[in-house]
């Protein structure tokens, strides 16, 4: 895949948090390129800076120094409004705690996003993709954790994002539900060709990625390409 | 060395206080307002009660009073021997026409005698400035404080008075007050006019000499022994004095000044306990809501504390301290507010009520009870929330709250879901899922609206009172009162005065009205049946025409006597031939001022067995000739009193309106604070409860405006629902206050009137409070931490 124009390019990306008197260097000069259709797993321990990197890529945070480009948009120089528009138009998010709106049904949680997107999937189709066609009128409280996370995935992909960013998507799930969610992510990546970045500290998940990026203490310490991508059903942890 | 180390939990308390400072300050401000208003009214009430009691005791205010035409001084000794009489003070009291420098119209002075030597036995005067009159001086007077202030008179000033038909210069030697005239009001006028009516104290000898009253008195004041029956003394006094032209003995309850102070004290009690009670209840209610919700949002922290081994009791005490500190700050804010407002109020009261000293003072019992009410309400609110938190096992409390159980709203279940956008559905479902919470928020805002409505009620009532009294009832320009009742042809004489356009004679006669065992002293006013210058108008502008036969009574008088139309009253006339007759009660009118009885002039003349006679006239005048008219009237001994409507209205507006405006401004100020506090807290809490959800939407690409619509839309909907409810509650509060005031006082009735402006005002203030709160929340939405929200809940 390297060879195509990169979707994301970061140059000397650094992020420093000031916690009182202490400066925390969450990222220290990260250079990274992400390519169209890639499935990338970001591996790292807690506090390694992987979430900070994901947040900057997703336009939720801005770097302290360095640059980050999405195609020809310079995200490091964008205003808050530009970042909102960027998220709205290009990014799908999946979080550890699903972050569904409790007062909306599965279908409505998805519609929430398709209503503000330009060329969205049909929300029912998106839910069918994650295997929840029968449960579209259930409220979050009526769904299991795995089902809630699948709704979150459906919500993220329904707007046909250019990039899908997942922060510990299986972190709050049991083994079986976790695997189902991974299968959904894999399918979305294959069928829609969405560039997908998954953060995890579960090294077993790395087997299903095209590329694995190891982060430690705010730096990329290793980048590995899988010769053969495993299917999620083959994973075990 | 002992070092004090703050516990970690107390440090958390301090940080929580700082973190929640905006909300807690808003709550404290509401508490401060509630306590401030309560203490202001309560302190004023207690001051008036105490000052009155002290003044009456120290300056020996009498218990029973009577006025006669003329009685021999020797009678005083006989009165003193009546059972139950402790002291007797006789004197002479007369109205005289005055010409005061700088005053266009003639003024009226109530001449009251003071003993030749030494202080009076009863109704002693307190000399504010200057000195008392010299024995035997015939041109020296002390004047009442209000009259002196209104006319810029000081010791050394002088004016002229008609003394027994002759103009005489009177020198002011001192400014005085007396427990008899704490509130100075001319008996025949319903409203105060300090510019044109004052009390003049003069030596007894001088008055006896000038008015040919040597060895005689025309008024008597009596102090009762400790266990005397006032009613018995009144009836024996009546028996004794009837043949001397008595107008009927009466107790303090009918004493003009005392009655007005009593009414005022009663009004203060109603305001102090009802209105500020409502303020306090609202404040308490809001603390309750805020704390309940605040503690609910701290659910996970409570879980953590419990997981670390803090007991339920310690955790509860920790949150209770938050409540107590907030209340303490609120109370601390309320006390200076009460001092400030109390002194402002006392200042106004000093213009109306002339005591040796009248100060507002902080009521310790009021402070304790107000704080206790707030405390109970706050703890009540906190208790429920703490119990809910304590019931949870710590592990569960620390977990993010499971998603709330939602279901489609009623509107959607009815099949209208297609009409609603997803965000509208979110708003509606949130409201419907926790209807009690939504209802309480709505009620909180509604109470703020209600207080705004009730706070501005004073303005509407005042406008209505002025409009009824000065436009609908008093249609004349000037009221003339004759020194003595005159025959009908005086009307022609009046017409020939300069500037008079029309004149309508009237007759006022003092009477006692009896029905069964009940009795009231009042005057019957006889009006021309075809007259137009004085109308009888009810509080709802219902103009009532005079009955062709019998009496028309004030509803208040009918109520006191227990009569209904169709009953027959016993009327004892207290002047002239003092006839007693039975008269039909033909009708009742719910009028504004006093307890009055009306008849047609011919019917009253017939009742009095006299020919067409009048005691005064209502006239309309040509304004261009008014100066000429007033100059003539000043020199006319047959005219004893001149009341100029425009002057009275101006005075009324200046004095009474000012005091009502101050009170109204205070009410409105507090209502605004409460409105803002309620609305702001409501939005702020909604934000803390839903911040997570809103941040998630922001992450998904929703703009700040779009999430603001969701959060503020819900608040707007609740505010919209609260406004009509608040109007209804506000109306109810006013109706309650009006009923409580009107039930006990006779001097005047409060009309129950709320104008569209008042409702519009409440609407605008609450809308502004909502808009400001929205703007403050807008800033917070911009600072919403999108990253943090993804990591954890809450």
């Amino acid at each position: 895949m390297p060879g195509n124009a990169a979707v994301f390019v970061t140059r000397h990306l650094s992020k420093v948090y000031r916690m009182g008197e202490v400066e925390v260097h969450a990222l220290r000069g990260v250079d990274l390129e992400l390519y169209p259709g890639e499935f990338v797993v970001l591996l790292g321990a807690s506090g390694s800076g992987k979430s900070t990197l994901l947040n900057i890529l997703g336009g939720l945070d801005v770097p302290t120094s360095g640059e980050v480009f999405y195609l020809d948009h310079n995200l490091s120089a964008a205003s808050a409004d530009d970042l909102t528009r960027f998220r709205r138009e290009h990014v799908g998010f999946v979080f550890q705690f699903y972050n569904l709106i409790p007062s909306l049904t599965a279908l409505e949680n998805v519609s929430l996003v398709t209503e503000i997107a330009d060329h969205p999937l049909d929300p029912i189709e998106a839910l069918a993709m994650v295997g929840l066609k029968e449960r579209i009128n259930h409220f979050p409280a009526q769904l299991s954790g795995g089902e809630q996370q699948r709704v979150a995935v459906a919500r993220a992909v329904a707007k046909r994002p250019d990039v899908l960013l997942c922060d510990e998507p299986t972190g709050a799930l049991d083994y079986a539900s976790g695997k189902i969610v991974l299968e959904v992510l894999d399918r979305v990546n294959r069928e829609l060709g969405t560039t997908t970045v998954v953060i995890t500290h579960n090294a077993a998940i790395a087997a299903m990625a095209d590329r694995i990026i190891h982060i430690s203490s705010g730096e990329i310490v290793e980048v590995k390409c899988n010769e053969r991508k495993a299917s999620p059903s083959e994973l075990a942890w | 060395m002992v070092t004090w180390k703050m516990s970690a939990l107390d440090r958390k308390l301090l940080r929580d206080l700082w973190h929640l400072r905006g909300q807690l300050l808003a709550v404290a401000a509401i508490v401060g307002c509630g306590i401030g208003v309560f203490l202001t009214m309560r302190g004023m009430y207690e001051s008036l009660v105490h000052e009155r009691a002290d003044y009456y005791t120290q300056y020996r205010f009498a218990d029973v009073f009577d006025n006669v035409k003329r009685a021999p001084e020797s009678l005083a000794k006989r009165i003193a021997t009546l059972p139950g009489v402790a002291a007797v003070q006789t004197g002479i009291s007369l109205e005289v026409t005055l010409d005061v420098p700088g005053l266009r119209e003639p003024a009226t002075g109530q001449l009251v005698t003071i003993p030749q030597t030494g202080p009076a036995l009863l109704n002693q005067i307190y000399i504010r400035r200057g000195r008392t009159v010299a024995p035997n001086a015939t041109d020296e007077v002390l004047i009442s404080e209000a009259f002196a202030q209104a006319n810029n008179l000081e010791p050394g000033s002088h004016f002229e008075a008609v003394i027994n038909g002759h103009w005489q210069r009177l020198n002011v030697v001192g400014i005085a007050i007396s427990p008899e005239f704490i509130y100075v009001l001319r008996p025949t006028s319903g409203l105060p006019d300090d510019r044109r009516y004052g009390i003049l104290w003069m030596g007894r000898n001088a008055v006896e000499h000038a008015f040919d009253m040597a060895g005689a008195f025309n008024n008597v004041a009596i102090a009762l022994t400790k266990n005397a029956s006032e009613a018995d003394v009144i009836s024996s006094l009546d028996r004794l004095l009837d043949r001397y032209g008595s107008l009927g003995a009466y107790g303090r309850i009918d004493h003009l000044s005392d009655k007005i102070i009593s009414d005022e004290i009663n009004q203060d009690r109603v305001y102090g306990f009802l209105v500020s009670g409502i303020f306090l209840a609202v404040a308490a209610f809001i603390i309750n809501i805020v704390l309940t919700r605040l503690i609910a949002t701290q659910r996970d922290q409570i879980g953590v504390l419990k997981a670390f081994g803090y007991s339920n009791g310690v955790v509860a005490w920790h949150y209770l301290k938050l409540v107590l500190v907030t209340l303490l700050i609120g109370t601390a804010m309320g006390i200076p507010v009460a001092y400030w407002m109390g002194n402002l109020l006392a200042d106004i009261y000093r213009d109306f009520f002339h005591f040796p000293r009248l100060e507002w003072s902080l009521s310790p019992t009021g402070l304790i009870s107000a704080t206790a009410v707030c405390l109970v309400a706050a703890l009540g609110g906190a208790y429920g929330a703490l119990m809910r938190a304590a019931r949870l096992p710590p592990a569960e409390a620390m977990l993010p709250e499971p998603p709330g159980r939602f279901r489609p709203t009623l509107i959607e279940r009815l099949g209208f879901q297609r009409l609603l956008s997803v965000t509208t559905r979110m708003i509606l479902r949130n409201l419907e899922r926790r209807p009690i919470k939504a209802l309480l928020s709505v009620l909180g805002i509604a109470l703020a609206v209600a207080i705004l409505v009730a706070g501005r009620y004073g303005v509407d009532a005042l406008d209505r009172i002025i409009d009824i009294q000065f436009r609908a009832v008093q249609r004349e320009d000037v009221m003339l009162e004759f020194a003595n009742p005159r025959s009908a042809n005086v009307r022609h004489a009046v017409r020939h005065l300069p500037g008079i356009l029309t004149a309508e004679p009237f007759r006022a006669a003092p009477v006692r009205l009896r029905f069964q065992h009940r009795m009231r002293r009042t005057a019957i006013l006889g009006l021309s049946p075809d007259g137009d210058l004085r109308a009888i108008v009810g509080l709802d502008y219902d103009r009532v025409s005079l009955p062709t036969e019998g009496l028309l009574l004030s509803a208040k008088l009918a109520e006191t006597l227990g009569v209904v139309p169709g009953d027959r009253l016993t009327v004892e006339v207290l002047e002239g031939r003092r006839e007693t007759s039975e008269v039909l009660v033909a009708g009742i009118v719910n009028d504004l001022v006093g307890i009055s009885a009306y008849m047609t002039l011919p019917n009253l003349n017939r009742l009095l067995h006299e020919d067409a006679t009048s005691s005064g006239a209502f006239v309309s005048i040509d304004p261009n000739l008014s100066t000429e008219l007033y100059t003539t009237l000043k020199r006319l001994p047959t005219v004893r009193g001149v009341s100029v409507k425009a002057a009275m209205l101006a005075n009324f507006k200046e004095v009474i309106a000012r005091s009502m405006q101050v009170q109204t401004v205070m009410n409105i100020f507090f209502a605004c604070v409460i409105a803002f506090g309620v609305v702001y807290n409501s939005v702020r809490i909604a934000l803390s409860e839903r911040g997570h959800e809103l941040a998630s939407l922001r992450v998904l690409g929703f703009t700040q405006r779009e999430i603001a619509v969701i959060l503020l839309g819900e608040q707007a909907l609740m505010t919209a629902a609260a406004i009509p409810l608040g109007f209804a509650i506000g109306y109810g509060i006013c109706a309650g206050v009006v009923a409580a005031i009107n039930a006990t006082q006779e001097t005047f009735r409060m009309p129950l009137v709320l104008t569209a402006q008042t409702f519009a005002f409440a609407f605008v203030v609450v809308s502004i409070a909502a808009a400001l709160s929205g703007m403050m929340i807008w800033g917070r939405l911009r600072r919403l931490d999108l990253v943090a929200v993804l990591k954890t809940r809450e």
Side-chain angles (χ1 to χ4, degrees):
Chain A
M1 250 168 271
N4 292 351
V7 184
F8 280 105
V9 176
T10 73
R11 291 287 169 251
H12 314 300
L13 204 60
S14 289
K15 179 74 185 178
V16 181
Y17 292 107
R18 191 172 290 278
M19 313 279 270
E21 316 245 311
V22 186
E23 288 192 343
V24 176
H25 290 262
L27 294 177
R28 299 162 190 269
V30 171
D31 292 315
L32 175 73
E33 286 170 350
L34 295 174
Y35 298 96
E38 242 193 330
F39 193 117
V40 174
V41 165
L42 280 179
L43 268 182
S46 290
S48 58
K50 56 190 191 305
S51 289
T52 306
L53 178 59
L54 191 85
N55 290 338
I56 292 173
L57 292 179
L60 290 175
D61 206 347
V62 285
T64 310
S65 65
E67 288 181 319
V68 54
F69 287 92
Y70 169 77
L71 301 176
D72 53 352
H73 303 292
N74 185 353
L75 297 183
S76 35
S79 68
D81 285 346
D82 291 338
L83 288 178
T84 299
R85 201 173 324 115
F86 163 68
R87 291 199 299 275
R88 189 173 183 138
E89 288 170 3
H90 304 290
V91 188
F93 279 106
V94 178
F95 311 110
Q96 181 175 7
F97 294 113
Y98 337 131
N99 292 60
L100 296 181
I101 306 299
S103 59
L104 298 180
T105 62
L107 180 61
E108 289 161 347
N109 261 289
V110 179
S111 308
L112 199 60
V113 171
T114 57
E115 280 177 7
I116 59 168
D118 280 342
H119 307 289
L121 292 176
D122 176 42
I124 298 176
E125 199 183 307
L127 282 164
M129 243 177 108
V130 300
L132 285 177
K133 198 171 178 182
E134 307 307 315
R135 317 212 65 175
I136 56 171
N137 288 321
H138 287 61
F139 283 92
Q142 299 166 315
L143 298 169
S144 72
E147 288 170 329
Q148 288 186 54
Q149 191 61 302
R150 279 144 71 195
V151 175
V153 174
R155 182 178 65 180
V157 301
K159 65 171 162 191
R160 298 183 204 269
D162 298 304
V163 57
L164 188 59
L165 302 176
C166 312
D167 194 347
E168 299 279 10
T170 61
L173 300 178
D174 60 69
Y175 179 73
S177 308
K179 282 188 81 160
I180 296 172
V181 169
L182 292 176
E183 274 166 11
V184 170
L185 291 177
D186 182 57
R187 226 179 110 205
V188 170
N189 175 249
R190 278 186 288 108
E191 291 179 8
L192 301 178
T194 313
T195 306
T196 305
V197 181
V198 175
I199 280 187
T200 183
H201 58 267
N202 184 348
I205 296 174
M208 65 183 280
D210 293 307
R211 265 203 301 164
I212 303 117
I213 299 172
H214 274 269
I215 295 191
S216 178
S217 302
E219 287 171 310
I220 295 177
V221 290
E222 187 188 0
V223 180
K224 212 169 74 183
C225 291
N226 277 330
E227 293 298 311
R228 188 193 82 87
K229 275 167 74 175
S231 93
S233 58
E234 299 168 49
L235 304 181
W237 63 86
Chain B
M1 199 175 81
V2 181
T3 52
W4 179 73
K5 197 165 177 297
M6 192 182 251
S7 75
L9 212 50
D10 282 342
R11 234 169 292 150
K12 168 176 165 359
L13 178 71
L14 285 183
R15 285 185 201 141
D16 284 351
L17 284 169
W18 179 246
H19 179 65
L20 298 168
R21 61 192 181 278
Q23 272 171 282
L24 295 181
L25 266 178
V27 174
I30 293 169
V31 174
C33 287
I35 287 182
V37 171
F38 180 80
L39 289 179
T40 303
M41 301 313 293
R42 179 67 187 249
M44 205 62 242
Y45 165 75
E46 287 183 3
S47 282
L48 277 175
V49 169
H50 292 151
E51 290 301 327
R52 180 174 66 164
D54 285 358
Y55 193 22
Y56 280 2
T57 313
Q58 277 187 35
Y59 289 82
R60 309 194 48 134
F61 184 49
D63 299 301
V64 172
F65 312 82
D66 200 357
N67 295 292
V68 296
K69 206 157 177 71
R70 181 193 176 102
E73 185 59 35
S74 56
L75 212 55
K77 286 207 180 71
R78 274 186 66 193
I79 296 171
T81 61
L82 291 174
V85 172
V88 179
Q89 175 70 57
T90 59
I92 299 164
S93 169
L94 297 152
E95 279 194 354
V96 293
T97 303
L98 308 177
D99 187 3
V100 179
L103 192 63
R104 229 159 52 101
E105 309 90 19
T108 304
Q110 177 77 40
L111 202 57
V112 177
T113 53
I114 48 178
Q116 240 8 69
T117 50
L121 285 174
L122 298 172
N123 301 337
Q124 297 170 350
I125 56 170
Y126 171 93
I127 298 176
R128 191 77 89 185
R129 286 194 299 285
R131 57 165 175 87
T132 188
V133 294
N136 299 319
T138 56
D139 59 350
E140 290 188 358
V141 286
L142 287 151
I143 59 171
S144 53
E145 185 176 36
F147 185 65
Q149 281 167 354
N151 289 296
N152 294 320
L153 296 171
E154 281 294 325
S157 308
H158 59 86
F159 51 83
E160 289 194 25
V162 178
I163 303 286
N164 214 14
H166 302 287
W167 281 100
Q168 188 188 324
R169 179 176 147 142
L170 295 178
N171 296 313
V172 178
V173 296
I175 312 293
I177 57 172
S178 138
E180 259 189 301
F181 302 104
I182 294 175
Y183 188 88
V184 182
L185 179 66
R186 188 162 182 215
T188 52
S189 126
L191 300 162
D193 187 351
D194 289 333
R195 200 89 217 265
R196 292 163 201 84
Y197 181 76
I199 312 298
L200 319 176
W201 286 275
M202 210 172 177
R204 175 90 179 246
N205 278 1
V207 176
E208 281 188 3
H209 181 76
F211 290 91
D212 198 16
M213 289 285 282
F217 68 88
N218 74 1
N219 79 29
V220 58
I222 290 166
L224 299 178
T225 55
K226 207 161 192 180
N227 298 314
S229 150
E230 185 184 287
D232 289 351
V233 173
I234 287 177
S235 43
S236 39
L237 200 62
D238 278 343
R239 272 195 302 278
L240 196 63
L241 295 179
D242 246 18
R243 62 198 184 95
Y244 298 102
S246 162
L247 292 183
Y250 55 95
R252 282 184 183 177
I253 190 174
D254 283 325
H255 186 275
L256 194 56
S257 165
D258 187 68
K259 188 152 117 176
I260 289 166
I261 299 159
S262 297
D263 282 354
E264 186 62 38
I265 288 176
N266 179 57
Q267 274 189 41
D268 275 4
R269 209 186 58 218
V270 171
Y271 274 118
F273 290 82
L274 212 132
V275 177
S276 57
I278 291 167
F279 264 75
L280 215 52
V282 172
F285 174 76
I286 292 157
I287 304 171
N288 186 312
I289 301 178
V290 169
L291 288 172
T292 305
R293 296 171 77 176
L294 201 71
I295 288 172
T297 60
Q298 297 236 331
R299 173 192 141 105
D300 55 333
Q301 298 190 23
I302 293 170
V304 171
L305 289 174
K306 284 174 67 181
F308 289 161
Y310 283 98
S311 70
N312 280 345
V314 173
V315 172
W317 175 232
H318 170 68
Y319 284 98
L320 290 189
K321 278 192 271 191
L322 192 82
V323 177
L324 293 177
V325 170
T326 309
L327 281 185
L328 205 68
I329 296 171
T331 310
M333 286 160 89
I335 292 172
V337 166
Y339 264 100
W340 172 65
M341 283 200 317
N343 285 318
L344 210 65
L345 201 60
D347 213 38
I348 289 167
Y349 271 72
R350 281 192 286 268
D351 283 351
F352 292 101
F353 298 110
H354 299 274
F355 287 94
R357 53 176 283 277
L358 181 64
E359 302 286 339
W360 177 87
S361 62
L362 185 71
S363 154
T365 53
L367 180 60
I368 292 168
S369 46
T371 314
V373 169
C374 281
L375 196 65
V376 167
L379 296 187
Y383 178 82
L386 282 174
M387 284 305 106
R388 273 191 295 281
R391 261 202 307 275
L392 280 175
E396 202 176 312
M398 279 187 295
L399 282 182
E401 222 174 324
R405 292 176 186 284
F406 283 89
R407 57 177 197 159
T409 55
L410 185 64
I411 301 175
E412 296 167 74
R413 277 173 268 146
L414 290 173
F416 294 103
Q417 73 271 23
R418 303 217 167 272
L419 303 178
L420 306 174
S421 72
V422 173
T423 47
T424 313
R425 285 183 219 178
M426 282 175 69
I427 292 171
L428 292 178
R429 286 176 196 169
N430 259 311
L431 294 176
E432 211 190 80
R433 184 170 81 99
R434 297 174 71 180
I436 305 282
K437 196 179 92 175
L439 211 68
L440 286 177
S441 302
V442 168
L443 196 58
I445 301 170
L447 284 172
V449 175
I451 286 181
L452 283 165
V453 170
R456 202 179 176 279
Y457 162 71
V459 176
D460 288 346
L462 190 66
D463 284 350
R464 175 65 70 92
I465 288 170
I466 288 176
D467 194 50
I468 291 181
Q469 190 60 27
F470 292 100
R471 192 186 58 80
V473 173
Q474 295 184 232
R475 303 161 64 81
E476 81 278 8
D477 294 319
V478 176
M479 179 177 82
L480 304 176
E481 284 170 275
F482 306 142
N484 293 295
R486 317 287 291 185
S487 68
N489 55 20
V490 73
R491 187 172 171 175
H492 303 295
V494 168
R495 281 237 181 88
H496 286 101
L497 290 169
I500 301 280
L501 299 176
T502 54
E504 287 173 13
F506 67 87
R507 176 76 165 100
V511 292
R512 258 196 295 252
L513 302 179
R514 287 184 193 278
F515 185 71
Q516 295 166 351
H517 63 283
R518 289 177 287 267
M519 185 275 281
R520 293 298 292 169
R521 293 168 67 257
T522 182
I524 296 178
L525 184 60
L527 299 170
S528 307
D530 52 353
D532 188 47
L533 294 181
R534 184 57 74 103
I536 302 165
V537 178
L539 290 180
D540 298 317
Y541 290 110
D542 39 329
R543 186 166 176 174
V544 182
S545 45
L546 283 167
T548 48
E549 195 211 327
L551 278 167
L552 180 67
L553 300 183
S554 285
K556 191 74 200 177
L557 180 57
E559 185 194 312
T560 318
L561 291 170
V563 294
V564 293
D567 286 337
R568 295 188 78 83
L569 278 175
T570 306
V571 177
E572 293 175 36
V573 177
L574 296 173
E575 62 163 52
R577 294 165 58 180
R578 306 180 74 85
E579 305 273 350
T580 297
S581 26
E582 298 279 303
V583 181
L584 173 77
V585 177
I588 281 167
V589 55
N590 188 20
D591 57 359
L592 185 74
V593 177
I595 47 167
S596 316
Y598 308 93
M599 268 183 137
T600 61
L601 182 53
N603 283 350
L604 181 57
N605 287 151
R606 214 166 300 129
L607 186 77
L608 298 172
H609 295 279
E610 62 188 15
D611 294 332
T613 300
S614 56
S615 47
F618 301 116
V619 297
S620 61
I621 63 167
D622 176 353
N624 297 323
L625 294 172
S626 63
T627 308
E628 216 179 321
L629 173 67
Y630 299 143
T631 312
T632 312
L633 286 173
K634 280 177 182 174
R635 306 281 144 183
L636 214 59
T638 47
V639 173
R640 191 189 60 192
V642 177
S643 306
V644 179
K645 187 176 81 171
M648 281 184 80
L649 175 59
N651 178 70
F652 180 78
K653 277 188 172 162
E654 185 188 319
V655 183
I656 294 195
R658 185 168 69 92
S659 96
M660 267 179 114
Q661 270 158 9
V662 169
Q663 294 203 27
T664 304
V665 166
M666 282 183 197
N667 282 348
I668 288 172
F669 171 74
F670 289 125
C672 289
V673 170
I674 288 189
F676 182 77
V678 173
V679 176
Y680 174 71
N681 256 307
S682 184
V683 183
R684 189 69 190 74
I685 291 170
L687 175 64
S688 67
E689 285 173 350
R690 315 222 359 235
H692 183 76
E693 186 175 307
L694 298 172
S696 301
L697 291 172
R698 285 283 283 135
V699 170
L700 294 177
F702 276 70
T703 59
Q704 192 180 337
R705 183 182 300 277
E706 284 162 339
I707 59 165
V709 166
I710 295 172
L711 180 70
L712 300 179
E714 192 178 316
Q715 297 301 316
L717 212 60
M718 288 201 291
T719 308
I723 286 172
L725 182 64
F727 287 171
I729 297 173
Y731 187 85
I733 291 173
C734 293
V737 169
V738 166
I741 289 176
N742 289 351
T744 47
Q745 75 177 20
E746 294 184 346
T747 41
F748 73 98
R749 257 72 62 195
M750 296 291 283
L752 180 55
V753 50
L754 285 166
T755 57
Q757 286 100 303
T758 292
F759 290 116
F761 165 78
F763 174 83
V764 168
V765 170
V766 168
S767 304
I768 290 173
L772 277 177
S773 305
M775 273 157 62
M776 290 166 79
I777 292 301
W778 175 258
R780 292 197 161 262
L781 285 178
R782 193 169 50 210
R783 294 195 300 272
L784 216 51
D785 190 340
L786 303 190
V787 176
V789 86
L790 304 177
K791 294 291 170 196
T792 51
R793 289 182 176 267
E794 310 301 347

